Every structure is written in C-alpha cells, then in structure tokens.
C-alpha cells in the first residue's frame, strides 16, 4: 500500500520545500498583473453582493457565486439551502443532497477551499450540505463549467465552499435562536427511541461478542418509545475575528465559529407504496408517521498568516458532529408479511422502525500562496479528512393487528422482521494539489499542476435478527411494549425467540458474529496544464487538458455474496477543456466553453451490499462503471450596475453509458445502479436577474430571480444491461428522462433594505422556489417510474441590525406547506408511493456583536 501513497508524499515534500523558501524570501516588490484577473486586496468583503458580481464580470472562467451577505439577508442557515438559491439547483427532499442542471449526487462534487471532502453518509458521494453552516463561509462557488484544475469526476457542477478569512476589525458575536415546526409542536405525544440524549453526544455501542454468547439478549436500550416534552428547536452559536501585526509586513488573522442547534420534525401520511400492474399492491403503509430529531455541533478555526505581500499561509480545521433520530410507526399492507387481506378489512401490518445515525467529520487544510518572482506564482493546498459515521442500534419490529379480535401477533417466523442493526464507516482521506502559474509577457499565463488523493474506507454492518419461535397467531404481543417479549428472561427460557445473523444462529455457528463488510482503497493521480492567452482587450482564451488516473479496489463479504469477492477498477481519462471570453464592452460578456468529464458510480452503488429502508431497498452493483460526459456552454452576461446582473445561458451535455437508479426485479421497490443505455443527453436554458427595482437614499427595493428549463433523454437498452450485468431488468420503454431531472426550476426573491440613523439597517426578504416533476427511479417489468411530483416553497425573513451591536430576526419557513408526493407512474395511472407534509415553521433569534 505504501507505493500507492508515494505521489501524495512527494506532494507534501514539494510544498514543504516551497514553504521554507517562502519564509526565507522577503520580496516586497508589487507589480501590476494584468493576466491574473481579479485580485482582492485590503478589507474587501468577499461575500458582499457587489464583490460577487465584480468577480464574475472580470473572471475568465465561468463562475457563479452566492455570497454570505445575500444569504444572511435571506436567513439561510445552511449550505444546502444556500446552493438552491443558485440557478439550476434543487435540493432533494428529505436530504441535504443537491441536483444541479438535473444531475444528482454522483454527477456533482464538493470541495472546501478547493480541496475535496468525503461524504458523511455511505449512501452518498457528497457531504450533506445541510450540516455546514453559512456563518462560517465567505461564499459558495458553483463551477458548472469544467476547467482542468478541477477533478474530472463531475458533470453537473463542483460546489466549492470557501470559509471565512477574517480581515476587518476585531469582534465577537453571539447568537441565540429558537423556532418551531408546527407539525411537531402540535403533536400531542411526541416520541423518540430510547438511548440517545438531547445534545447527541451519547454513543450507543454494539454488545460484545462474548456478552451475547454468554448471556444472549444483552441490549441495554429499550424497544419502548420515549415521550419528549416541548419539541421546540433551539440554536446557540458564536463567532469571532481578530488580527495581529507580526513584524513590519506580517499579519495574522484568526476567525472562529462554534455552535449547536437542533430540530424536531413530524410527518404523517403515506409511505412505502409499491404496485404491480398485474398483481396489484405489493405493499403500502397508508397510515404512517415519522418523528425526527437532529442535532448539529460545529467548530471551525481559520488562521491566516500573511508573511508579506508575496507570501501567504492559511490553516483551517473544521469539526462537525451530527446526529439524526427517526422513529417511524407504519400501518398498512405488506404481502411479504401477511398476504391474505390486501384491502385491510381485518388485518393490518404494523411496523415500528427506530434509526439513530451519528457522523463525526474532521476536515484539516493547510494552504500556501507564494509569488516567487514577478512571472512565477506557486499555490499548494493539503488536506486530511477523517470520517466516523455510524448507525448504532437501528430497531425494527413488525406485527399484524387483528381489528376484529383487537390484538396483535408477530408477522411471521421470518428472522429479519424483528431485528437490531449496527453499522460503522471509517474513512481516512488525504488530498492535495500544487500548481504553478507562469507569465510569459503581459498576455500569456501558463498553469502547470498536480493533484493527488488517497482514501481508504472500512464499512462493517451487523444485524441481529430475532427469530420468533411460537406459531404465527399463537402468541399475542403489545406493540407498545415489545420488551415484554424480547428480553433476557424469555431468551434464556427458550421457546420464545432465537438470535441469528445472516450467517446463522449465534448458538451453533461461530461465524455468525462476523459482520458484513466491504473495504475500499481509492488512489487518484492527476496532472494538468492550462494556457490563458489574451488576444486583445476584448478576447481571452483558456485551453487546457487534464490527465486523471483512478484506481479503486473493493473487497467485500455481504449477505448478497457470503463467499466474498473483490472489485478492481482502473480508469485513465484525458480531459480537454476550453473557455472563451469576449468582452463586448465593460458591461457585456459573451462566453463559450466546452469540455469532457466523467462520472464514477458511488462506493455503495458498486459494493454489493443491500441497505433496507421503509420506502425501498438499495443494493450495489459490481458491474456498474464510469460514464463519459461531453459538455458545451454558451453564456451572455450584462452588468447594468455594480449590484446588478442579467444573464442567459444555453448548455448541452452528451453522456455515454449513463448511470441511473433503477427498480430491479423484486416484490418491493428494490433499486440498484446500472449503465442503462449507450447514451443520454441534456439540453437546457438558464436565466438569472439580480436587479434593483428602486434605490434612493436609504431605501432599496431589489429582486433576485432565476429559472432553468431542462430537456433530458436517455436510451434504455435491456439487452445491453443483460450483457454487462448480473441483475435482471425489463424496462417499460426504450427512452426516458434522466433520473432526478426536473423540467423546470425557479427561484424568486424580493427584498427591501432600509437604513436609518447611524448604520442601523433592516432587511425583509420573501423567497419562493418551484421544482417540477422529476424521476426518482426508473421503472421495470410493468412497474412505472417512481416520480417526485412538483411542489413550491415560500420563506420569509426579517432582520434588523442596530449600531449598538444588537441584532434581531424573525423567519417563516415552508409557509405554503405543500404535499411532498412520490408516485409510481403505472400505465393504469399514478399510484401514490409516498405523501406527506413537512410542516410550516416560524423562528426568532437575537444576536449581540462587540
């Protein structure tokens, strides 16, 4: 394994030498750099609206940014919502994952200060953006147009989160807030599972092998729900900034942030719907409820050392601890457990499922920028990320309720119906980049660079299944007190239940305790070159190429493949890109860009492991492979004033061997991930307007609008799938839309900014978003596509800042409170698979800065 880390080690050594050289060199000469583009000096606020637009106007690359000032006015608290304020972006309901230009998680990438970071959830490629607080950032950059400095594994966009580097006067700010979700606060009896605590700091541990062998049922947490009083959200945070002079030219700047917040949610409605055209209903829980409680504890320190005007070092460390509890009670029909009464005239399937998830992410970065001489600048960036993600003590219990006799009995002797589940994902991620910019005269700049990444992943999962021994219907149980049956006394007595894993009974099979597992090692090496040439004052061109080599080795032993196995992937990609900018005048730009990129399947889309949820089960596919993307963008920009922007973009993508989430042959909505055809394509139009409607004196009335139209299509070829995969599919058609692509997206924001006295300000913003229908998963064997239906959201924020340092805010969230609806679009019509309302909410906060 050491030889695989050699290139990363070389990168560390190179940058260490550069740093030593920078400390010795004391070059204070300042020269004009015409080809460098935008240079931010002094105390310019990077996140201000005027600076965001200025950078976009002057940049040679096509960039789109959402600044901290705009986000603060809109009351946006996390990055996932912030990204949706950009054109062509949408947030997947129920997660922090983002779709950009109709392309989802596997098609996008996420960086912090230019370096890749791992996902906090093995189900996804990108970090859940909802756990990153906007108070920590200067701006969010959306790089929808590829350039060779970026990793080539993107077809939607790269989301770059730029943390704050403090440049102003010293300050300390504290913020205290509270909010309610009306669904949760109006629920008379609010329940969560036993075990986790309020702050999310308590870790639930899996029982030891010896304890279970010797004493059997030794689980310390109860299966009985715990009632929660006053489900009211709270938030407490602080941030500070200061700086010090070091010597005649040096300056040390420090920014820090720390905070805790929590939220209570409650959903009631329909879930789990799965229907066959011929056989009718497979399952549906048409009387369902979910209680959800989340916490987020975050700390960030960012230290910037400006050695002199030519040398700068930045160190940042970010720790994020998140937890999520979800307790669901689901009633309805499931033919896997009781298939005699699909209309539920007498018998109802009852499911209790409690899930606790914890994530600990540590992201450390060290970056240096050095102007060695007038034509040469070197930039290096190193990172180490550590992820510890767990699902400790997921609980599931299933019974059948007899409405006529008014009692419940266990669904069947199927051991998996009642279980406790534990998993853990550990990842170590080393990443780095070093590049040099060299000027040839006033019109040419050459960039030469290297990027490296090594990531190891270790996933283990154990599910203890409780095989019920009494004949079905002969033992009755209180569904509000499963502990009366599943307890140590009953286990020791025998005749009630056994404990088994997928490998066998724990009493008779020593290997029963061996967990399901998969491990992964990924090594990326890349070199790139980019040439920027200024033909005239109006025309500038960038042309570059990147070579990416990706090696991945996965070793696994899971319930799907108990004999285990290995997957080896080795890809080499040559990725050309060009970018042309024509400045018609100081206010109008025309841009044309083209590139080749690729899309890799996620780790859990490849690893043959099945993860079961109430709505669906998903399983990895060893045979899925990389898709290639060919991208073209044409954009017009108009900058009427310093705070204003009007733009229109036409873009297209051609995709070879597109990957899609697809329903496979099963009785439920089991999905997997397959190269579904030879090709796919995307055509789209984006429009954006940032305009002052009225600006006079101390009053400003402004709007921020954007909209995206998408037209997508991919070929579906079941013969190709059969040749390349061991999974069975039978598509309902030969062509369909891309998974996750909404045909139309829109954001509309109206704001009023009022100033009075000596720097007192008031901002009131109304934000509206619309997302049209999109395909969640492709259908199969007569079962139609799973489609997420269109919905709208409306938010409002009122913020007041006073010159004495006090601040106040009021907010309203999801005020329209629409239904979120997922349907199975069968030939007989739309059948509801999931339907619920998230609930509207209101909140208030107060802050003091001194």
């Amino acid at each position: 394994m050491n030889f695989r880390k050699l290139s990363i080690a070389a990168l560390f050594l190179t940058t260490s030498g550069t740093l030593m050289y920078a400390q010795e060199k004391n070059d204070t000469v300042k020269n004009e750099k015409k080809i460098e583009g935008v240079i931010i000096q002094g105390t310019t606020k990077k996140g201000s609206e005027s600076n965001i637009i200025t950078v976009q106007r002057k940049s040679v690359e096509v960039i789109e940014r959402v600044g901290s000032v705009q986000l603060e006015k809109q009351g946006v608290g996390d990055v996932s919502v912030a990204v949706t304020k950009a054109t062509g972006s949408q947030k997947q309901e129920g997660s922090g994952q983002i779709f950009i230009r109709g392309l989802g998680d596997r098609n996008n990438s996420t960086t912090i200060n230019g370096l890749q970071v791992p996902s906090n959830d093995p189900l996804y490629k990108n970090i859940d953006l909802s756990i990153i607080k906007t108070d920590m950032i200067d701006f969010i950059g959306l790089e929808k147009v590829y350039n060779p400095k970026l990793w080539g594994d993107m077809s939607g966009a790269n989301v770059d989160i730029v943390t704050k580097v403090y440049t102003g006067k010293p300050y300390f700010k504290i913020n205290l807030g509270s909010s309610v979700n009306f669904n949760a606060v109006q629920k008379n009896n609010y329940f969560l599972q036993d075990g986790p605590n309020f702050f999310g700091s308590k870790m639930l541990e899996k029982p030891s092998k010896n304890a279970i062998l010797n004493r059997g049922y030794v689980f310390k947490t109860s299966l009985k729900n715990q009632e929660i009083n006053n489900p009211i959200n709270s938030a407490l945070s602080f941030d500070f900034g200061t700086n010090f002079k070091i010597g005649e030219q040096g300056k040390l700047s420090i920014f820090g942030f720390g905070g805790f917040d929590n939220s209570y949610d409650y959903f009631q409605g329909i879930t789990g719907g799965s229907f066959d055209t011929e056989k009718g209903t497979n399952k549906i829980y048409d009387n369902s409820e979910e209680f959800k409680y989340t916490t987020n504890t975050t700390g960030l320190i960012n230290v910037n050392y400006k050695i002199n005007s030519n040398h700068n070092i930045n160190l940042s460390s970010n720790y994020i601890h998140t937890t999520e509890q979800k307790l669901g009670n689901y009633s309805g029909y499931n033919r896997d457990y009781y298939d005699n009464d699909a209309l539920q005239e007498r018998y109802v399937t009852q499911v209790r499922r409690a899930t606790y998830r914890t994530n600990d992410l540590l992201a450390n970065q060290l970056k240096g920028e050095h102007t060695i001489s007038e034509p040469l600048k070197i930039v290096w960036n190193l990172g180490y990320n550590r992820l510890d993600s767990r699902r400790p003590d997921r609980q599931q219990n299933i019974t059948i309720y007899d409405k006529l006799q008014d009692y419940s009995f266990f669904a069947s002797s199927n051991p998996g119906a009642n279980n406790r589940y534990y998993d853990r994902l550990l990842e170590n991620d080393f990443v780095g980049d070093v590049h040099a910019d060299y000027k040839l005269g006033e019109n040419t700049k050459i960039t030469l660079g290297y990027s490296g990444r090594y990531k190891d992943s270790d996933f283990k999962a154990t599910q203890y299944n409780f095989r019920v021994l009494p004949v079905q219907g002969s033992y009755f149980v209180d569904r509000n007190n499963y502990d009366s049956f599943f307890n140590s006394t009953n286990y020791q007595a025998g005749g009630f239940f056994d404990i088994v894993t997928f490998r066998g009974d724990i009493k008779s099979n020593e290997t029963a305790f061996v967990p399901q597992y998969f491990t992964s090692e990924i090594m990326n090496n890349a070199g790139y070159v980019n040439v920027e040439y200024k033909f005239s004052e109006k025309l500038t061109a960038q042309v570059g190429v990147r070579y990416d080599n990706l090696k991945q080795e996965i070793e696994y032993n899971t319930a799907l493949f108990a004999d285990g196995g290995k997957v080896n992937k080795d890809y080499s990609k040559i990725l050309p890109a060009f970018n042309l900018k024509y400045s018609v005048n100081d206010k109008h730009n025309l841009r044309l860009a083209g590139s080749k990129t690729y899309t890799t399947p996620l780790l859990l889309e490849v690893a043959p492991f099945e993860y079961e949820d109430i709505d669906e089960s998903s399983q990895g596919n060893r045979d899925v492979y990389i898709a290639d993307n060919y991208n073209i963008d044409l954009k017009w920009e108009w900058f009427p004033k310093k705070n204003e922007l009007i733009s229109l973009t036409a873009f297209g993508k051609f995709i070879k061997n597109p990957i899609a989430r697809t329903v496979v042959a099963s009785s439920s909505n089991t999905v997997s991930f397959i190269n579904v055809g030879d090709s796919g394509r995307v055509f789209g139009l984006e429009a954006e307007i940032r305009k002052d409607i009225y600006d006079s004196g101390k009053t400003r009335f402004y709007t921020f609008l954007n909209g995206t139209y998408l037209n997508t299509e991919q070929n579906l070829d079941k013969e190709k799938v059969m040749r390349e995969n061991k999974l069975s599919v039978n598509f309902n058609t030969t062509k369909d839309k891309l998974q996750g692509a909404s045909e139309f997206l829109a954001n509309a924001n109206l704001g009023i900014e009022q100033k009075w006295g000596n720097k007192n300000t008031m901002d009131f913003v109304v934000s509206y978003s619309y997302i049209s229908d999109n395909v969640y998963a492709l259908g199969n064997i007569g079962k139609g596509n799973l489609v997420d239906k269109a919905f709208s959201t409306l938010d409002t924020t009122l913020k007041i800042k006073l010159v004495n340092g006090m601040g106040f805010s009021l907010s309203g969230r999801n005020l329209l409170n629409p239904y979120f609806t997922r349907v199975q679009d069968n030939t007989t019509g739309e059948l509801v698979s999931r339907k619920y309302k998230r609930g509207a909410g209101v909140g208030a906060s107060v802050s003091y800065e001194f």
Side-chain angles (χ1 to χ4, degrees):
M1 185 185 302
N2 290 336
F3 78 93
R4 291 189 173 187
K5 301 181 182 179
L6 182 60
S7 54
I8 297 290
L11 176 59
F12 273 74
L13 290 172
T14 301
T15 50
S16 299
T18 305
L19 176 58
M20 294 175 64
Y21 178 83
Q23 290 174 329
E24 294 175 358
K25 187 173 178 63
N26 189 26
D27 184 2
T28 61
V29 177
K30 297 182 180 179
N31 293 299
E32 185 182 8
K33 296 180 176 62
K34 294 182 180 180
I35 198 71
E36 293 276 350
V38 182
I39 302 173
I40 299 173
Q41 296 178 333
T43 59
T44 302
K45 193 166 187 178
K46 297 179 183 178
S48 68
E49 295 168 272
S50 59
N51 187 66
I52 289 292
I53 292 176
T54 298
V55 170
Q56 182 168 332
R57 177 173 60 86
K58 293 184 177 182
S59 173
V60 178
E61 291 94 355
V62 181
I63 58 174
E64 186 173 340
R65 292 179 175 177
V66 182
S68 56
V69 173
Q70 175 190 326
L71 297 174
E72 184 180 3
K73 290 180 179 180
Q74 293 177 278
V76 175
D78 67 69
V79 171
S80 68
V81 178
V83 172
T84 64
K85 303 303 178 183
T87 312
S89 304
Q90 71 187 78
K91 182 174 179 285
Q92 181 178 327
E93 175 62 24
S95 78
Q97 302 304 314
I98 300 299
F99 280 73
I100 300 173
R101 290 182 168 179
L103 299 172
D105 178 60
R106 81 173 70 85
N107 301 281
N108 301 314
S109 60
T110 304
T111 55
I112 296 180
N113 302 320
L115 286 184
Q116 288 184 311
V117 290
S119 169
N120 61 307
D121 189 329
L123 293 174
Y124 300 107
K125 169 185 173 182
N126 292 285
I127 187 172
D128 182 348
L129 296 176
S130 65
I131 70 176
I132 301 176
K133 300 303 176 184
T134 53
D135 288 337
M136 305 187 306
I137 68 172
D138 267 329
F139 60 85
I140 302 161
L142 258 71
E143 296 164 301
K144 300 176 187 176
V145 173
Y146 177 73
N147 71 76
K149 290 182 182 179
L150 302 173
W151 282 105
D153 185 9
M154 58 164 278
S155 56
N158 180 67
V159 179
D160 188 31
I161 302 159
V162 179
T163 56
K164 284 185 179 178
V165 174
Y166 193 67
T167 56
K169 296 179 180 179
Y171 84 100
F172 184 90
K173 179 181 178 181
I174 188 168
N175 187 84
L176 179 65
S178 182
S179 63
V180 295
N181 177 283
F182 290 127
N183 277 7
V185 78
Q186 292 175 356
K187 179 64 177 172
N188 291 330
N189 303 107
Y190 195 95
F191 293 100
L192 293 172
Q193 74 183 90
D194 179 41
N197 60 5
F198 175 82
F199 290 102
S201 57
K202 185 177 180 180
M203 180 56 64
L204 307 183
E205 299 291 345
K206 182 176 71 172
S208 69
K209 172 183 173 180
N210 288 336
I212 293 180
L213 269 176
N214 295 328
R215 293 183 286 129
Y217 194 88
V218 292
F219 302 96
K220 296 181 180 180
T221 53
S222 171
L223 298 175
K224 192 172 183 179
N225 302 334
Q226 308 298 308
E227 187 169 1
I228 303 298
N229 296 319
N230 303 318
I232 299 174
N233 309 333
S234 57
L236 174 65
S237 66
F238 67 88
D239 56 277
F240 64 90
T242 188
N243 48 71
F244 309 92
K245 285 189 175 181
I246 299 179
E248 294 184 1
Q249 302 177 59
K251 184 178 181 180
L252 184 70
S253 302
I254 302 173
F255 172 78
F257 172 87
F260 169 83
D261 64 78
N262 61 5
S263 67
Y264 295 88
D265 295 284
Y266 176 76
F267 312 118
Q268 188 173 27
I270 300 171
T271 192
S274 175
F275 313 90
D276 275 341
T277 303
E278 297 179 357
K279 298 179 182 180
T281 304
N282 293 324
K283 70 171 184 174
I284 185 168
Y285 300 117
D286 47 15
N287 183 13
S288 302
E289 64 175 0
E290 291 182 358
F291 303 86
K292 183 179 177 182
Y293 176 67
T294 61
T295 71
N296 185 319
T297 305
T298 297
L300 169 75
I301 189 74
N302 198 331
V303 180
N304 191 78
Y305 177 34
K306 184 179 180 181
I307 301 173
N308 53 49
S309 60
N310 292 320
H311 301 285
N312 193 83
I313 305 293
N314 184 264
L315 171 67
S316 70
S317 185
N318 188 4
Y319 171 72
I320 303 174
H321 172 74
T322 64
T323 68
E324 177 186 275
Q325 295 182 62
K326 187 161 66 174
L327 173 64
N329 297 308
Y330 312 96
S331 296
Y333 169 75
N334 188 328
R335 74 181 187 192
D336 289 342
Y337 299 114
Y338 202 87
D339 60 1
N340 295 331
D341 190 2
L343 298 179
Q344 305 173 49
E345 293 177 343
R346 178 174 176 177
Y347 298 105
V348 178
T349 301
Q350 299 173 315
V351 181
R352 172 190 177 271
R353 189 178 178 98
T355 303
Y356 181 46
R357 184 177 68 177
T358 70
N359 298 301
D360 290 275
L361 176 65
L362 179 64
N364 299 302
Q365 296 181 351
L366 181 64
K367 181 179 182 179
E369 299 182 28
H370 311 279
T371 302
I372 305 301
S373 60
E374 163 52 21
L376 178 62
K377 181 179 180 181
I378 294 177
V379 179
W380 53 269
N381 202 353
L382 308 173
Y384 169 68
N385 307 300
R386 166 78 171 178
L387 173 68
D388 186 346
S389 177
R390 311 186 193 198
R391 284 180 176 84
D393 198 22
R394 189 191 73 194
Q395 306 167 357
Q396 178 174 289
N397 302 103
I398 301 179
T399 55
I400 305 299
Y401 176 61
D402 185 335
K403 294 190 286 187
L404 183 61
Q405 299 294 330
D406 191 26
Y407 59 68
S408 297
F409 55 90
F410 284 112
S412 68
S413 59
N414 174 11
N418 297 275
N419 66 71
R420 289 189 186 231
Y421 169 91
Y422 300 80
D423 74 19
R424 186 178 188 184
L425 172 68
L426 292 174
E427 287 191 340
N428 293 287
D429 187 9
F430 302 87
V431 60
D433 177 88
V434 59
H435 65 266
D437 295 330
Y438 190 83
K439 286 180 58 181
L440 292 173
E442 294 185 352
N443 297 325
T444 305
K445 183 175 73 174
I446 300 174
T447 300
L448 185 66
Y450 164 79
S451 300
R453 188 183 193 188
Y454 173 81
K455 183 170 75 169
D456 63 74
S457 306
D458 185 355
F459 178 82
K460 291 182 173 65
T462 300
Q463 181 168 303
Y464 295 105
N465 299 317
F466 307 131
R467 182 167 57 202
V468 176
L469 299 179
V471 176
Q472 186 177 40
S474 66
Y475 189 95
F476 311 123
V477 66
D478 179 3
R479 67 186 298 259
N480 294 315
N481 186 15
Y482 287 105
D483 292 316
S484 63
F485 183 83
F486 296 112
N487 56 59
S488 179
T489 301
N490 282 358
Y491 180 77
Q492 295 292 343
F496 289 92
F497 67 96
D498 290 331
I499 301 177
V500 300
T501 70
F502 87 96
R503 300 184 192 274
D505 194 313
I506 64 168
K507 295 178 181 177
S508 58
N509 191 340
E510 183 70 18
T511 63
F513 291 95
V514 177
Q516 299 185 69
Y517 71 86
F518 59 79
T519 62
S520 169
E521 291 185 9
I522 295 177
M523 186 68 204
N524 290 100
N525 285 294
Y528 57 90
V529 61
N530 197 52
V531 178
E532 181 177 316
Y533 184 73
K534 192 171 184 179
F535 289 94
S536 66
E537 290 299 318
K538 292 188 174 184
L539 180 61
T540 304
Q542 283 185 343
V543 179
V545 65
R546 182 184 182 97
Y547 170 79
D548 266 13
N549 177 258
L550 167 65
K551 293 181 180 179
Q552 181 178 27
E553 181 178 296
I554 302 173
E555 184 175 342
Y556 59 86
N557 190 299
T558 67
L560 294 176
F561 295 91
D563 294 332
K566 290 185 178 181
V567 177
N568 290 292
K569 306 283 187 180
D570 191 342
Y571 303 103
S572 293
K573 297 291 181 181
I574 296 176
L575 309 172
F578 72 87
N579 192 338
L580 303 177
K581 175 189 174 185
Y582 183 76
S583 299
V584 180
N585 52 45
D586 192 47
K587 294 186 176 182
H588 293 268
N589 289 333
L590 289 174
R591 301 178 182 272
L592 177 65
S595 63
K596 179 185 177 183
T597 59
Y598 61 91
T599 301
T600 58
L602 315 185
L603 176 57
L604 219 64
E605 293 180 349
V606 179
F609 174 80
E610 183 172 14
Y611 184 81
E612 297 182 7
D613 211 335
I614 293 297
D615 280 345
E616 66 182 26
S617 297
S618 64
Q619 63 183 61
N621 174 19
R622 298 175 297 175
D623 300 314
V624 67
Y625 55 91
I626 275 181
D628 290 316
N629 315 296
Y630 299 85
N631 317 289
I632 191 75
D633 279 72
L634 177 63
K635 185 172 187 177
W636 165 70
E637 297 171 328
W638 177 27
F639 304 90
K641 296 179 181 178
K642 68 174 184 177
N643 289 330
E644 296 182 347
L645 166 66
I646 298 173
S647 68
L648 184 65
T649 305
F651 61 90
K653 297 178 182 293
F654 176 77
I655 306 170
K656 287 186 63 178
N657 304 308
I659 305 167
R661 179 193 288 114
T662 307
V663 178
V664 298
S666 69
S667 61
S668 61
N669 283 335
T670 300
V671 300
S672 193
F673 310 92
I674 298 170
N675 300 90
V676 293
D678 289 328
S679 64
R681 53 95 176 145
V682 179
F683 298 135
L685 288 173
E686 292 178 339
E688 179 181 9
I689 299 174
R690 302 187 194 189
K691 189 79 174 68
D692 289 342
I693 300 173
Y694 175 81
D695 189 357
S696 178
K698 296 184 177 182
T699 302
R700 178 176 169 236
F701 185 33
Y702 59 92
T703 185
F704 171 35
L705 311 170
N706 62 55
T708 301
Y709 167 76
L710 289 171
N711 185 292
T712 70
E713 185 178 88
Q714 60 185 342
N715 297 322
L716 305 180
D717 187 341
K718 64 181 181 181
E719 284 76 21
K720 171 186 170 73
V721 173
M722 290 178 63
R723 289 194 306 268
E724 298 177 348
N725 299 266
K726 297 176 180 62
L727 294 173
S728 175
V729 298
N730 188 5
F731 298 119
N732 302 323
T733 180
T734 59
K735 293 182 179 181
D736 214 326
K737 295 180 179 179
L738 288 183
Q739 170 218 322
S742 293
E743 193 170 83
F744 184 68
L745 308 169
N747 288 289
N749 302 272
L750 293 174
I752 300 175
E753 180 184 278
Q754 180 67 52
K755 299 178 181 179
W756 74 94
N758 185 16
K759 296 184 179 179
N760 299 309
T761 62
M762 183 276 291
D763 284 281
F764 178 68
V765 180
V766 178
S767 302
Y768 170 82
S769 296
Y770 173 79
I771 299 174
S772 67
D773 294 1
N774 63 87
V775 176
Y776 175 76
L778 297 175
N780 181 40
I781 318 178
K783 297 168 66 172
N785 291 344
L786 291 175
V787 177
D788 290 343
K789 302 297 290 182
F791 67 96
S792 303
T793 58
L794 181 68
D795 300 330
T796 63
T797 302
L798 173 66
K799 298 184 76 71
I800 297 174
K801 277 188 173 182
L802 303 178
V803 69
N804 62 5
M806 292 295 297
F808 306 90
S809 74
L810 296 172
S811 62
R813 293 288 176 263
N814 195 37
L815 298 179
L816 298 177
N817 195 21
Y819 276 107
F820 170 76
T821 306
R822 179 174 295 159
V823 301
Q824 189 174 310
D825 193 10
N826 286 7
T827 55
T828 55
E830 293 182 343
L831 301 171
V832 176
S833 175
R834 193 171 197 198
K835 187 174 183 178
Y836 63 87
K837 289 187 175 184
R838 286 193 291 129
V842 296
S845 68
V846 59
S847 64
Y848 182 64
E849 180 177 328
F850 55 91

